[in-house]
Amino acid sequence: MPADIKSLTREEITALLVQQGYPAYRGGQVAQWLDKGCTSFDEMTDLPPKLREELNRQFIIPSVSILQKLQSSLDETTKYLFGLYDGETVESVLMSYHHGWSQCLSTQVGCRMGCSFCATGMGGLSRNLLPAEMMSQIETAQKDRSIRVSSVVLMGMGEPLDNYDNVLRFLHMLSEPSGVHIGMRHISLSTCGLVDGIYRLMEEKLQLTLSVSLHAPNNDIRSTLMPINRRWPIEELLKACREYIKATGRRISFEYAMIDGVNDSDACAEELAARLRGMLCHVNLIPANSVSGASHRRSSQARLQQFSKILGNHGLTVTVRRTLGADINASCGQLKRKHREEE
Ligand code: SAH
Ligand code: SF4
């Protein structure tokens, strides 16, 4: 199979071409086209035809194409269903905030973590995304809307730490000044709690924001929602989080999807506050989205407020996530399922 040229650095491309007898500046030219989001060697018009032919033989430029697009009528939110080179699909959501455009990206086709409330988890994992396919989600959305994305969250389909090497490579590509150029401080990575991945990431000492999907204050509830909790119980997860904070000096954001009658009682709030006492962290309460085929319903607004108040009384910083694109069901996983059912 031809290699993925977008996963190579400018230096690596140049070295390969020099090895094949081309002058070094050809490498720079190719890299420049790739940085501009070019998706075909035939469009690289300043290269000699023979080199273009050679590149076509040796490499692919993995990119995504827009299969479906939903535009919210309530706000600027756009949701994409992207097609990949092998016929697979992933979702991505573009959101507008006062500080600029933020994009939620997928890191895998599907996910094998099997969380009970999640549409993505229901289909299992098909494959990992390549670094270039993550990048192309941004480039394609930017081109489509004629905007620049200024922050990125890895909260689409997939578990980023289950595709560790590709995700890390992508994050480094993302901060390259010659490309999309989004710095680590504008990137959030969300994990369901792969403890070994958290320790690995800790060693990289990146300035990104780590989000941890907690969704429950204890093992009983968490294990029924998230199978990963049986491998790494909440004590081990929070221990890893404490060490991560200590090593990086960065605040962790805990995601907590409020599910009616499951994890939203006053007692749950008290227990959660006790668990997180003294941690440099932030709790983000999310009104859970209902997923067809799952029985969960979101908590009432009053419940959300009360839960948030209890956490606040214990000195925790809490936000309630704004629901953007409510009319287009902007949470990931649902568009893909619908598309598949329609086919
Ligand atoms: N796999 C990673 C990142 C992708 S999921 C993770 O689990 O963290 C992104 C976020 O959406 C996670 O916090 C996840 O728990 C949450 N999520 C998934 N399904 C949801 C639903 N139906 N309602 C609310 N949040 C959901
Ligand atoms: Fe995977 Fe995250 Fe969905 Fe769980 S919530 S199944 S980890 S994508």
Side-chain angles (χ1 to χ4, degrees):
M1 180 186 150
D4 163 18
I5 196 165
K6 289 272 270 189
S7 295
L8 302 180
T9 61
R10 177 177 291 249
E11 291 72 32
E12 286 166 337
I13 295 170
T14 304
L16 271 167
L17 293 187
V18 167
Q19 221 176 43
Q20 296 176 25
Y22 292 97
Y25 71 90
R26 293 291 183 206
Q29 285 177 308
V30 173
Q32 208 167 3
W33 281 108
L34 294 173
D35 282 344
K36 277 196 285 191
C38 177
T39 56
S40 154
F41 293 115
D42 300 325
E43 288 168 26
M44 302 183 179
T45 43
D46 55 359
L47 301 183
K50 185 171 157 284
L51 175 54
R52 275 185 262 163
E53 235 170 73
E54 196 59 40
L55 290 168
N56 267 321
R57 215 171 45 73
Q58 294 178 32
F59 296 105
I60 49 166
I61 308 176
S63 58
V64 305
S65 57
I66 301 172
L67 288 186
Q68 216 179 319
K69 181 168 125 178
L70 296 181
Q71 182 65 55
S72 171
S73 54
L74 305 172
D75 50 58
E76 289 274 17
T77 308
T78 311
K79 180 165 175 168
Y80 294 99
L81 182 70
F82 288 130
L84 310 177
Y85 72 88
D86 55 358
E88 294 284 4
T89 58
V90 291
E91 291 176 26
S92 176
V93 181
L94 191 64
M95 294 155 287
S96 170
Y97 290 96
H98 61 275
H99 57 261
W101 289 92
S102 174
Q103 192 174 0
C104 178
L105 302 181
S106 290
T107 55
Q108 294 181 310
V109 183
C111 180
R112 61 191 179 119
M113 298 299 148
C115 303
S116 67
F117 48 82
C118 173
T120 303
M122 287 173 185
L125 175 72
S126 301
R127 70 168 172 89
N128 285 327
L129 288 192
L130 297 164
E133 291 172 322
M134 298 177 218
M135 189 63 85
S136 180
Q137 294 172 58
I138 304 178
E139 289 165 348
T140 307
Q142 289 193 150
K143 212 183 230 173
D144 178 53
R145 295 289 313 267
S146 306
I147 48 110
R148 285 204 71 78
V149 171
S150 58
S151 67
V152 158
V153 293
L154 302 187
M155 282 199 187
M157 310 179 84
E159 166 51 48
L161 297 184
D162 190 38
N163 183 14
Y164 190 93
D165 293 335
N166 286 347
V167 165
L168 258 282
R169 184 137 192 148
F170 161 65
L171 293 181
H172 287 297
M173 284 161 61
L174 199 51
S175 42
E176 290 275 331
S178 56
V180 171
H181 199 194
I182 298 174
M184 290 290 175
R185 284 180 180 273
H186 304 281
I187 300 171
S188 295
L189 183 154
S190 178
T191 177
C192 65
L194 298 190
V195 166
D196 55 352
I198 293 175
Y199 281 118
R200 241 181 118 183
L201 191 65
M202 177 176 100
E203 297 302 325
E204 323 262 354
K205 299 223 172 22
L206 302 178
Q207 292 299 298
L208 54 72
T209 300
L210 179 64
S211 288
V212 173
S213 300
L214 204 53
H215 304 326
N218 59 47
N219 287 319
D220 279 352
I221 302 176
R222 197 163 191 270
S223 290
T224 63
L225 296 174
M226 307 175 75
I228 194 69
N229 195 68
R230 289 179 218 135
R231 171 97 190 271
W232 285 294
I234 200 162
E235 295 79 11
E236 285 186 43
L237 173 57
L238 292 180
K239 179 167 174 276
C241 291
R242 286 202 167 80
E243 290 188 29
Y244 185 93
I245 294 166
K246 204 166 138 203
T248 61
R250 303 282 300 167
R251 177 186 300 265
I252 284 185
S253 174
F254 289 106
E255 307 294 310
Y256 198 103
M258 298 279 290
I259 308 170
D260 184 40
V262 174
N263 62 358
D264 64 349
S265 66
D266 287 357
C268 283
E270 294 286 349
E271 200 178 351
L272 182 64
R275 286 264 187 209
L276 302 183
R277 185 168 300 138
M279 270 173 106
L280 181 64
C281 71
H282 172 104
V283 179
N284 192 20
L285 299 177
I286 314 160
N289 286 296
S290 56
V291 173
S292 59
S295 55
H296 304 114
R297 274 181 310 139
R298 74 168 49 163
S299 309
S300 69
Q301 204 54 36
R303 195 74 309 266
L304 244 98
Q305 292 310 326
Q306 170 67 5
F307 199 92
S308 161
K309 199 171 135 207
I310 295 175
L311 297 181
N313 287 345
H314 284 280
L316 285 162
T317 350
V318 191
T319 47
V320 175
R321 187 184 289 174
R322 246 193 333 146
T323 12
L324 289 175
D327 57 331
I328 55 168
N329 210 340
S331 67
C332 274
Q334 315 228 6
L335 188 58
K336 180 188 170 94
R337 287 182 83 207
K338 199 159 158 280
H339 185 78
R340 203 188 282 146
E341 279 158 20
E342 281 164 6
E343 277 183 340

